[in-house]
Amino acid sequence: MAELATQNPRPRILSGMRPTGKLHLGNYMGALANWVRLQNEGQYECYFFIADWHALTTDYADPSRVKLNTLDVALDWLAAGLDPGKSTIFIQSHVPQHAELHLLFSMITPLGWLERVPTYKEQQENITGKDLSTYGFLGYPLLQAADILVYQPQFVPVGQDQVAHVELTREVARRFNSLYKTEVFPEPDALLTPSPKLPGTDGRKMSKSYGNTIGLTEAPTTVAFKIHNMSTNGQRIRQSDAGDPDLCPVADLHKVFNSPDAVAEVEKCCRAASQRCEFCKMDAARAVHNAIGHIHDARMSMESRIDDTWEMLREQSRKASARAEQTMMPVRAIFDLSHDLGSIRRYFAVNENHDKEVRDLSQHSDWWDLPADQRAKLLRNYWKNNLVPRDVPLTQESNREFTTIDRELEEPFITAKKKRVFVSTSRDILMRNRWHFEIPLRSYEVWTLLCWSDETRALYDFPVPQKTFSSDFAMARRVKKDGKIPVQIDRTEEGKFTLTIAAREVADISAFQGDYAPLK
Ligand code: TRP
Ligand code: SF4
């Protein structure tokens, strides 16, 4: 089918951060630096977002800093080199599809799965002063699963601490796909960020809650001062003593930010007590500055343009939302939450305007920009639920596993009398009032050709018995390309429809329009 042209997919990656305010070196080395690298390598389509709803799962009692922290994180990201020209950078709460999918996932997720996520009990015990016995906090990892799956990514770049959440995400995807016999959600893999050991100023792990951080965009003098006051973890209390650099957090800073040669020199001087700690620390501060000084400068200039930054985030969130919507449409259809009256209409008496209404697709403006294969799937569903008369029950060989959506779209419907009905959709984008189809060389009793017009947004449906054109069909076998027969429908100026099989015009098929007798 011309419409089924495959679109270039670079594998997608998605990751997020809670807005806890300005980033520190630990956040940078553990995540952000890696994201910038992945973005610049250009191998992936990248989505990065600020998880402000996740912040509310713990900070719901005082949300006053969430927006400020969100902007702070965004400014640090941009300063560090995330680039809206290369990645989609957005705010979680500006994309309501995350919340919608979270809600739908909550219907199918057993409570036990969430209670067993290790971070749940740990955090409840470790975070004191906040009541975390809430529904939202229990659902934290499920919201994360929705964050991820709504973009159908292949990989999720995260640190070791998030692996359990990615595992839950895979389980939810698997359960959804198997419950609804679909492949909407590919199971994403964690793309583990190697995170070097980066101690805080007191030698413990760098963490905001320990108050031992060095900010990614702090002024160079502040950074130098903090490093100057850093603990040596008991090494070289007297400067004449030799030290062990493997025990000193300053040496860890060297290992992360200095060259291998310089690190060797530092270790040698430490063991030989040949250079005072204060010089070793000045050297460390210089290495840190060389690595991240430009980020501080970039942040300074970003801060004078916060309106632009916010506008960019809103714009990028709209882009993310459009992508998320592509996932949500088939998901809503699966739960029978699509916005048209659909199959329900068939249970009520059909009024005289019915035929006109069901063929008028102007209400479905949300379909027109979907990728061709998803649109084709929705349109087939729509056709089955709205256009096929009530006395024509159709089934599909539903237990079959489809390897690709293309194959699924070629799968015929079966009538009560076991007739095989091939259904294909086409949109007149190449030329107005002309539709192209490609029909597999298998035999079907009926071809149903669905033509939809970009201009009038009308749908024309032609159930055509294959045997009516069997001689043309036999001829066409010789002209086939790639095992398929090219078929074309044209709408003439007088409003008639002609059928062309393998480049030979064969008939006026106007009379077939909307006539479902061949399916009975
Ligand atoms: N839980 C993550 C953290 O604390 C943040 C997060 C929320 C996230 N949603 C996500 C990370 C989706 C990756 C993908 O760091
Ligand atoms: Fe630490 Fe450097 Fe002093 Fe050794 S010389 S103890 S590595 S600060």
Side-chain angles (χ1 to χ4, degrees), residues 146-162:
D147 295 338
I148 295 170
L149 293 174
V150 82
Y151 300 97
Q152 300 166 309
Q154 280 77 358
F155 299 105
V156 188
V158 284
Q160 187 63 42
D161 63 321
Q162 295 295 313

Side-chain angles (χ1 to χ4, degrees), residues 14-16 18 49 51 54 140 144 147-148 156 158 162 165:
L14 167 122
S15 197
R18 271 173 308 157
F49 74 99
H54 276 100
Y140 182 112
Q144 181 162 351
D147 295 338
I148 295 170
V156 188
V158 284
Q162 295 295 313
H165 292 169

Side-chain angles (χ1 to χ4, degrees), residues 47 110 131 171 224 253 271-272 286 305 337 354 364 368 384 440 474 476 492 499:
Y47 286 79
D131 180 0
E171 279 169 327
L253 277 188
R271 294 203 164 93
R286 202 172 308 121
R305 301 199 310 264
L337 299 169
H354 173 260
H364 296 276
W368 297 81
K384 179 166 175 268
T492 65
L499 180 68

Side-chain angles (χ1 to χ4, degrees), residues 47-283:
Y47 286 79
F48 300 114
F49 74 99
I50 302 169
D52 54 350
W53 276 327
H54 276 100
L56 291 178
T57 63
T58 51
D59 298 348
Y60 59 86
D62 176 14
S64 62
R65 294 189 63 85
V66 174
K67 187 175 284 174
L68 177 64
N69 287 348
T70 298
L71 187 61
D72 257 334
V73 168
L75 292 169
D76 277 0
W77 284 6
L78 297 171
L82 283 192
D83 175 354
K86 296 179 183 163
S87 299
T88 306
I89 301 168
F90 63 99
I91 300 173
Q92 182 187 33
S93 69
H94 291 210
V95 184
Q97 288 88 350
H98 292 228
E100 184 184 3
L101 188 58
H102 175 214
L103 177 90
L104 294 174
F105 280 164
S106 76
M107 311 296 173
I108 67 164
T109 307
L111 267 183
W113 288 13
L114 296 173
E115 288 161 345
R116 276 195 298 273
V117 173
T119 45
Y120 177 60
K121 287 236 160 59
E122 275 165 33
Q123 299 243 43
Q124 264 193 342
E125 282 158 18
N126 294 345
I127 302 182
T128 50
K130 289 174 187 167
D131 180 0
L132 296 183
S133 56
T134 57
Y135 174 50
F137 188 70
L138 177 67
Y140 182 112
L142 192 62
L143 178 55
Q144 181 162 351
D147 295 338
I148 295 170
L149 293 174
V150 82
Y151 300 97
Q152 300 166 309
Q154 280 77 358
F155 299 105
V156 188
V158 284
Q160 187 63 42
D161 63 321
Q162 295 295 313
V163 168
H165 292 169
V166 177
E167 196 41 53
L168 177 83
T169 303
R170 295 168 58 87
E171 279 169 327
V172 172
R174 215 173 301 144
R175 182 169 173 94
F176 184 98
N177 291 344
S178 83
L179 261 177
Y180 304 111
K181 299 190 176 52
T182 163
E183 292 171 16
V184 172
F185 296 115
E187 289 179 40
D189 283 307
L191 196 63
L192 271 186
T193 312
S195 44
K197 183 174 168 214
L198 194 94
T201 51
D202 59 359
R204 290 187 290 173
K205 180 181 155 61
M206 189 178 289
S207 159
K208 211 173 171 195
S209 54
Y210 294 149
N212 65 356
T213 61
I214 296 173
L216 175 61
T217 53
E218 266 176 311
T221 48
T222 314
V223 174
F225 182 71
K226 284 187 173 178
I227 294 176
H228 175 77
N229 288 327
M230 248 174 108
S231 149
T232 60
N233 190 22
Q235 301 304 295
R236 304 193 61 198
I237 301 297
R238 281 178 304 178
Q239 288 290 295
S240 52
D241 292 348
D244 180 352
D246 289 337
L247 299 176
C248 175
V250 179
D252 288 325
L253 277 188
H254 279 287
K255 284 175 200 152
V256 175
F257 293 104
N258 224 334
S259 68
D261 285 353
V263 171
E265 184 65 19
V266 163
E267 294 181 337
K268 200 175 94 196
C269 293
C270 181
R271 294 203 164 93
S274 60
Q275 182 187 236
R276 296 180 63 80
C277 286
E278 74 189 87
F279 293 111
C280 179
K281 288 171 169 175
M282 278 166 62
D283 208 28

